[in-house]
Amino acid sequence: MSITIPRAYEPGGIEKKWYDFWLERGYFTPRIDHGKKPFVVIMPPANVTGKLHLGHALTDTLEDIMVRWHRMKGAPTLWLPGTDHAGIATQVVTERKLARQGLSKNDLGIEEFLKAAWEGANESREAINRQHQMLGVSCDWSRERFTLDEGPCRAVNTAFVRLYNKSLIYRGERMINWCPRCQTALSDLEVEHKDIAGHLYYIRYALEEGDGFITVATTRPETFFGDTAVAVNPEDVRYKSSIGKNVVLPFINRKIPVIADDAVDFSFGTGALKITPAHDPTDFEVAERHKLPSINVIEPDATMNDNAGSYRGMERFACREQVIVALKSEGLLEKIEPYLHSVGHCNRCQTMVEPRVSWQWFVRTKPLAEKAISVVEDGSITIIPERFTKVYFRWMENIKDWCISRQLWWGHRIPVWSCQDCGKLTAAVDEPSCCIHCGSKQLVRDPDVLDTWFSSALWTHSTLGWPGDTEDLRYFYPTSVMETGYDILFFWVARMIMMGLEDTGEVPFRSVYLHGLLRDENGEKMSKLRGNVLDPSEMIEEYGVDALRFALTTGSFPGNDINLGKGKLKSSRNFVNKLWNTTRFILQNLDRKRHDDKAPLQEEITAKSSLYQGQEATIEDRWIMSQLNRLVLNVDALMAEFQFGEAAQQIYDFVWSKFCDWYIEIAKIRFRSSQPQPSPLPVLTSTLDTSLRLLHPFMPFVTEELWQNLRMGSDDKAQTVDSIMIAPYPVASTSAIDPEAERAMACVMDIVRSIRNARAERKVNAEKWIAAEIYATDLLPYLDSQKEMLEKLARVNPLSILSRHERKTEKEEALVLVLREVEVLLPLSGMIDLTVEKERLEKESSAIESIVQKLEQRLQDANFLSKAPPLVREKEKQKLDALEDKLERLRQELLQLPSE
């Protein structure tokens, strides 16, 4: 059967064809086999608020590499996809859509608002799944989950009630992040800190007794209405006499104490701090230590409340301006200084966050964290790279209770009902018919919803059917690897470990693989403001999926940030084209062989095993098979160690630099040779097949297309699988590793490279044949067998390959190349026109001598030496050294030329 493939690779049609093929064959859905250990990855759920970005493409690529590799190694492999309802993010997106129609959520009411949110979420969910498929993800779509599906919802309620019944969930008054625009509490992850060019205001608080005062420095003068103390460091001699006394707040004349606390920094401002427990996390902790009252002065919408007196109803920043004017008029504002500080903003709407004390639901995390620390300490869970283990421990050992309630409409409603008769609470998985305490039917459900991260923390087991005793849960849990970015190690991974252990008694996964953040080709963070954001859809359109995936992988290391630009994408596309053209070349020669030979082609290819050990094998055949098997060994070890970037790089280096640049070039010479020798086709076919299978996890589409064509082109009836994705991953044959062949071919390549470099340096015409002599010792027989290859690749003729013992002491003028294993002599008379070369060298030497003379004069000039910066002087000195070195080399070349 004649097989031809197009001259150019067009990825679009090929990608869709093979993805549909994989789906139709059911290759993504694993069969439960209790005799085999499964490999399981639960996909981090993307938010249903828009399209996928480059970070998702990185996650998809890395996870698909693991999944395809393990599937090819024969493990039942489950990659379970899903999406997250993204509480606050989806609510904000929905509110913005309504605002464009002139509506607010209150105009619609909760039921209609939730309908609108569901509509947007479903549209986004479908779009996200299409984009995942476009990237080639081989996940099991029959098990796809959404955090608001019935199963995950039941898991959320069950987990909440179990924790509540163990007193590990409680309702309390604590300091939280509050978004005045979204009107909800925020997790630390939902707060984005920005450097703000603000001011430090120095305000005088009069002492209750006497005429003195204490000056406090603050960035928030509008909150002084809520001050309940002034704190100083107990070791600060400036304030020792003031500790225990009272100061009087401006305008409202409330007396507050001066207290001593080690948390106060001597160097900040005046060393005296106003303590506002209701509006600052540090102040809240100080107040708890000293049992100070907490006075809230700001409403949830960021306006001042009744405690602000005449400033009631003013927006917080407008109030600040008015307070400053009033303080100035009373002579109580000592000074204002510029001050750059980090301020939290809601990462969804960019409103400045307001720290405030509020009644919220919390998880008591300390008991959960202790178990989560233990399983990492004893090796039940491994964090990759290892350096993040210390970061994990540090965070877990200092963990604070987790605020899990959000004042939103969209999300998992908190499963707690308040009795209107006895006032007690009932927590239940299903809606209760009556109060469990008094039997009353007058129950009102808590209006809040849960933090999105609460349902995400259950993701590894809720997706497999927990709390039910499902076959999926029994077989696929614990999962194998959790792959995600290092930036959410604490906010998601740690919580999954805590909740997985709490709910199932087992770790949720065995390994945590953390990838870095994506940056542009210059290492800068990608942002819309910088204009350096790459859209994966556009990159796929321009370069193809395989090129994007390979660019995201090569050069990456666990936990390290990854630079990506168009240069890297172009390089990856060139590699795809190289693979395409290589396969096309091999298929053309297979087709030619088929027509020239009556014997079935596959018989010859099947006989390739005899080439590895038999006498027929040429040195280059033995070399490429040795290098290939070394590669298989290395890649398998690197993949097991999660070093996917290095594995991809080594495959790239082998295919491009060894297989294509050397073996195929030698094969071309063998195809054209008139001398009888074994065909390189068996080794070409075998090497390409193995290379494609090695590459498949990284570049699934082009490898499938080429492997299918190679399978048909070689008439391989022994091939029993219909897709490369279920073909066995290559296994190394250590008997094929051949150090002797590697040494011989290293010498051949060294000779060719050296002669090519010598020709280039002396500008010898590429078409010109030159004479060469090679003097060797024990490698002489191997080099002699490669004589035709050396002649063609180095463009040398006549070529003599002799023993070093035959080297004559007196020869005509020649360029001598002393290499590791051999000496190469290139007679100059055959390489260059000696007269022209001498003129060129003399002219170049004269020009450089002139520049050297000027530089020497400059570096001896006292005026230059006194005025030029040291860096400039050093640069000029380096330039002089480089030119003198080049001049010396030109002189040596002149000396090598024969005298007239």
Side-chain angles (χ1 to χ4, degrees):
M1 181 180 180
S2 180
I3 298 295
T4 57
I5 60 175
R7 184 175 295 274
Y9 176 53
E10 299 293 341
I14 286 171
E15 290 162 359
K16 186 178 187 315
K17 174 182 73 174
W18 289 119
Y19 200 86
D20 289 345
F21 172 80
W22 297 327
L23 279 176
E24 289 165 7
R25 296 297 181 99
Y27 292 148
F28 301 162
T29 301
R31 292 184 178 87
I32 291 176
D33 181 350
H34 292 286
K36 292 182 178 180
K37 183 180 178 181
F39 179 79
V40 186
V41 175
I42 307 294
M43 179 187 288
N47 291 347
V48 287
T49 51
K51 61 182 182 178
L52 298 183
H53 53 67
L54 208 55
H56 293 113
L58 174 62
T59 296
D60 280 358
T61 298
L62 292 171
E63 292 180 15
D64 200 35
I65 287 169
M66 297 184 217
V67 166
R68 288 180 183 270
W69 180 58
H70 280 276
R71 188 184 289 117
M72 292 177 77
K73 288 176 76 69
T77 304
L78 172 62
W79 186 14
L80 193 150
T83 43
D84 195 302
H85 67 280
I88 188 170
T90 301
Q91 178 140 335
V92 169
V93 167
T94 307
E95 287 183 30
R96 285 175 179 166
K97 286 181 181 177
L98 292 173
R100 290 194 288 270
Q101 302 169 35
L103 297 171
S104 71
K105 66 175 185 177
N106 294 321
D107 293 331
L108 265 68
I110 188 166
E111 288 188 12
E112 290 302 313
F113 177 82
L114 290 177
K115 283 182 183 177
W118 268 107
E119 182 180 344
N122 285 332
E123 288 176 3
S124 179
R125 185 179 176 184
E126 290 174 7
I128 285 168
N129 288 347
R130 285 195 301 271
Q131 288 170 314
H132 278 310
Q133 294 179 8
M134 180 175 64
L135 286 160
V137 298
S138 59
C139 48
D140 183 0
W141 293 106
S142 69
R143 288 181 168 90
E144 188 248 350
R145 296 288 183 270
F146 179 46
T147 50
L148 288 181
D149 284 346
E150 183 180 350
C153 281
R154 187 164 190 81
V156 165
N157 286 355
T158 303
F160 184 99
V161 172
R162 285 163 56 112
L163 291 171
Y164 179 84
N165 290 338
K166 290 182 177 183
S167 298
L168 291 174
I169 282 182
Y170 66 94
R171 195 163 184 258
E173 193 175 34
R174 293 285 185 274
M175 175 66 66
I176 51 95
N177 303 302
W178 181 265
C179 176
R181 183 254 169 241
C182 298
Q183 292 280 289
T184 183
L186 303 174
S187 71
D188 290 341
L189 185 64
E190 293 163 327
V191 176
E192 180 181 335
H193 284 84
K194 299 179 182 180
D195 287 336
I196 300 295
H199 295 89
L200 205 54
Y201 303 91
Y202 290 76
I203 306 172
R204 291 170 176 167
Y205 286 4
L207 288 165
E208 180 188 17
E209 298 176 357
D211 298 328
F213 55 81
I214 291 179
T215 300
V216 298
T218 179
T219 59
R220 303 199 64 191
E222 71 277 9
T223 64
F224 88 88
F225 302 105
D227 289 0
T228 56
V230 169
V232 297
N233 193 289
E235 302 302 319
D236 194 334
V237 294
R238 295 173 293 178
Y239 300 110
K240 278 188 177 290
S241 61
S242 299
I243 297 170
K245 295 181 179 181
N246 291 333
V247 294
V248 181
L249 291 176
F251 312 143
I252 57 176
N253 297 320
R254 187 170 70 242
K255 298 173 187 176
I256 59 174
V258 178
I259 62 172
D261 194 282
D262 292 329
V264 179
D265 182 357
F266 286 79
S267 61
F268 179 79
T270 63
L273 298 181
K274 61 191 283 297
I275 300 300
T276 319
H279 297 287
D280 185 274
T282 303
D283 293 1
F284 182 80
E285 292 175 1
V286 172
E288 283 196 321
R289 287 196 291 272
H290 295 270
K291 296 181 170 53
L292 299 172
S294 180
I295 301 172
N296 186 8
V297 300
I298 299 178
E299 297 282 11
D301 64 354
T303 59
M304 308 305 292
N305 67 17
D306 289 345
N307 289 321
S310 61
Y311 297 91
R312 179 176 60 85
M314 295 184 70
E315 194 276 331
R316 54 183 169 168
F317 300 128
C319 176
R320 178 183 298 177
E321 298 304 317
Q322 293 299 313
V323 165
I324 295 304
V325 171
L327 289 170
K328 281 182 180 177
S329 67
E330 294 292 326
L332 297 176
L333 187 66
E334 188 172 293
K335 61 179 177 177
I336 303 174
E337 291 180 343
Y339 184 64
L340 184 69
H341 60 135
S342 181
V343 180
H345 290 70
C346 174
N347 70 349
R348 298 304 174 187
C349 69
Q350 299 305 308
T351 302
M352 193 176 291
V353 165
E354 186 62 50
R356 71 193 304 263
V357 175
S358 172
W359 277 94
Q360 301 286 344
W361 288 96
F362 294 87
V363 174
R364 207 181 305 277
T365 50
K366 197 72 175 175
L368 303 176
E370 288 170 356
K371 295 177 185 177
I373 290 170
S374 177
V375 294
V376 176
E377 283 180 334
D378 67 19
S380 299
I381 294 177
T382 303
I383 298 175
I384 303 156
E386 194 273 336
R387 68 177 184 273
F388 282 99
T389 303
K390 292 179 182 177
V391 182
Y392 171 84
F393 287 147
R394 187 165 61 248
W395 188 79
M396 295 296 276
E397 288 162 0
N398 295 285
I399 196 170
K400 296 179 181 179
D401 285 357
W402 172 18
C403 176
I404 56 171
S405 48
R406 297 290 181 271
Q407 290 64 52
L408 302 170
W409 288 355
W410 172 254
H412 294 101
R413 189 90 171 265
I414 289 177
V416 173
W417 288 258
S418 175
C419 180
Q420 300 303 289
D421 290 332
C422 72
K424 293 183 179 179
L425 302 177
T426 297
V429 175
D430 299 306
E431 184 169 355
S433 59
C434 62
C435 173
I436 61 171
H437 303 286
C438 72
S440 170
K441 295 184 181 297
Q442 301 302 310
L443 298 177
V444 176
R445 189 168 186 176
D446 193 300
D448 290 354
V449 300
L450 286 163
D451 177 12
T452 298
W453 293 100
F454 189 88
S455 56
S456 298
L458 314 180
W459 194 236
T460 53
H461 50 287
S462 68
T463 51
L464 296 172
W466 186 90
D469 181 23
T470 64
E471 188 176 20
D472 273 8
L473 187 66
R474 290 194 300 271
Y475 185 66
F476 293 117
Y477 189 89
T479 66
S480 306
V481 180
M482 174 47 62
E483 189 282 333
T484 190
Y486 65 67
D487 53 329
I488 54 173
L489 170 63
F490 324 124
F491 301 104
W492 187 38
V493 176
R495 287 167 177 169
M496 279 192 288
I497 295 172
M498 290 191 291
M499 294 305 295
L501 288 166
E502 174 64 23
D503 291 340
T504 71
E506 295 186 81
V507 295
F509 29 72
R510 303 298 183 189
S511 301
V512 177
Y513 176 94
L514 300 172
H515 66 248
L517 303 179
L518 279 167
R519 298 181 179 275
D520 71 10
E521 54 199 340
N522 299 314
E524 296 290 333
K525 184 178 179 180
M526 290 188 182
S527 70
K528 291 180 181 177
L529 190 64
R530 289 190 177 96
N532 59 354
V533 175
L534 298 177
D535 184 325
S537 297
E538 293 177 5
M539 297 305 101
I540 288 170
E541 182 70 26
E542 186 172 356
Y543 301 101
V545 173
D546 290 316
L548 174 60
R549 288 171 58 123
F550 204 69
L552 286 167
T553 309
T554 48
S556 68
F557 294 91
N560 287 8
D561 290 352
I562 301 163
N563 292 0
L564 181 68
K566 293 197 172 182
K568 196 174 181 184
L569 286 160
K570 288 176 183 175
S571 174
S572 295
R573 182 179 60 189
N574 291 343
F575 183 51
V576 173
N577 290 335
K578 190 81 166 177
L579 272 176
W580 186 266
N581 292 331
T582 296
T583 306
R584 192 166 180 270
F585 166 78
I586 293 172
L587 288 173
Q588 287 172 338
N589 281 280
L590 284 170
D591 196 45
R592 190 175 297 116
K593 175 69 174 175
R594 182 181 294 103
H595 288 92
D596 292 347
D597 202 341
K598 293 181 181 179
L601 180 62
Q602 187 55 36
E603 290 180 13
E604 182 176 340
I605 294 174
T606 304
K608 62 182 177 287
S609 57
S610 66
L611 280 172
Y612 307 156
Q613 299 170 0
Q615 295 300 309
E616 281 190 275
T618 66
I619 197 67
E620 66 267 22
D621 290 342
R622 288 165 53 194
W623 166 74
I624 198 66
M625 296 310 299
S626 180
Q627 290 286 287
L628 179 62
N629 280 277
R630 281 194 192 277
L631 175 69
V632 172
L633 277 175
N634 290 345
V635 168
D636 201 54
L638 289 166
M639 296 287 273
E641 295 169 2
F642 299 90
Q643 296 289 343
F644 308 120
E646 180 60 22
Q649 188 63 53
Q650 289 199 17
I651 299 170
Y652 173 93
D653 291 342
F654 170 83
V655 171
W656 192 295
S657 302
K658 295 175 182 176
F659 185 47
C660 295
D661 282 0
W662 286 101
Y663 187 81
I664 286 181
E665 292 306 308
I666 293 173
K668 289 176 183 177
I669 296 170
R670 286 168 64 177
F671 281 132
R672 293 191 294 265
S673 176
S674 58
Q675 298 178 15
Q677 55 184 304
S679 169
L681 270 173
V683 175
L684 281 168
T685 306
S686 174
T687 304
L688 177 60
D689 171 80
T690 302
S691 299
L692 292 173
R693 284 186 286 131
L694 285 172
L695 271 170
H696 178 71
F698 304 91
M699 309 170 85
F701 293 112
V702 71
T703 52
E704 182 74 88
E705 175 73 12
L706 297 178
W707 186 84
Q708 294 284 358
N709 278 283
L710 184 66
R711 187 168 74 112
M712 290 186 288
S714 59
D715 298 332
D716 191 353
K717 298 180 178 62
Q719 187 59 261
T720 57
V721 296
D722 294 330
S723 170
I724 192 174
M725 71 171 289
I726 56 171
Y729 204 71
V731 176
S733 169
T734 54
S735 63
I737 294 176
D738 190 337
E740 186 178 27
E742 290 176 338
R743 179 183 165 220
M745 279 303 296
C747 183
V748 169
M749 292 185 289
D750 201 15
I751 291 168
V752 172
R753 275 191 291 260
S754 298
I755 295 174
R756 285 175 175 175
N757 289 340
R759 293 173 64 111
E761 286 172 7
R762 283 154 183 80
K763 298 179 174 54
V764 178
N765 188 293
E767 300 301 315
K768 183 181 176 71
W769 292 86
I770 63 172
E773 298 173 9
I774 298 172
Y775 294 93
T777 53
D778 59 320
L779 289 180
L780 185 62
Y782 293 118
L783 297 179
D784 203 42
S785 72
Q786 293 295 304
K787 184 176 182 181
E788 185 179 8
M789 313 306 170
L790 287 166
E791 288 175 342
K792 298 291 194 302
L793 293 174
R795 204 78 177 165
V796 290
N797 194 352
L799 170 64
S800 301
I801 303 176
L802 305 166
S803 168
R804 281 193 176 180
H805 300 301
E806 299 178 69
R807 168 89 183 271
K808 297 177 182 178
T809 54
E810 292 183 9
K811 293 288 297 179
E812 63 176 297
E813 293 294 335
L815 177 64
V816 180
L817 306 175
V818 181
L819 309 182
R820 184 177 178 181
E821 300 271 12
V822 298
E823 283 188 16
V824 178
L825 270 66
L826 303 176
L828 290 175
S829 59
M831 286 181 67
I832 54 177
D833 184 317
L834 295 176
T835 303
V836 172
E837 179 66 2
K838 185 176 182 182
E839 288 178 0
R840 182 187 72 80
L841 292 173
E842 287 175 343
K843 185 177 179 181
E844 191 173 352
S845 297
S846 178
I848 291 176
E849 282 173 350
S850 177
I851 299 171
V852 165
Q853 188 177 9
K854 290 176 182 177
L855 278 172
E856 286 175 338
Q857 290 172 352
R858 192 176 192 191
L859 288 168
Q860 292 170 5
D861 185 340
N863 189 42
F864 169 77
L865 294 174
S866 64
K867 292 182 179 180
L871 194 63
V872 173
R873 295 199 302 269
E874 180 60 26
K875 194 173 181 180
E876 294 295 276
K877 179 67 170 61
Q878 290 174 358
K879 190 188 296 182
L880 176 62
D881 290 343
L883 287 170
E884 286 179 334
D885 180 65
K886 186 171 183 180
L887 185 60
E888 179 59 29
R889 282 187 282 112
L890 289 170
R891 287 170 177 163
Q892 290 299 319
E893 288 184 42
L894 275 166
L895 288 173
Q896 285 192 32
L897 293 178
S899 55
E900 294 179 1

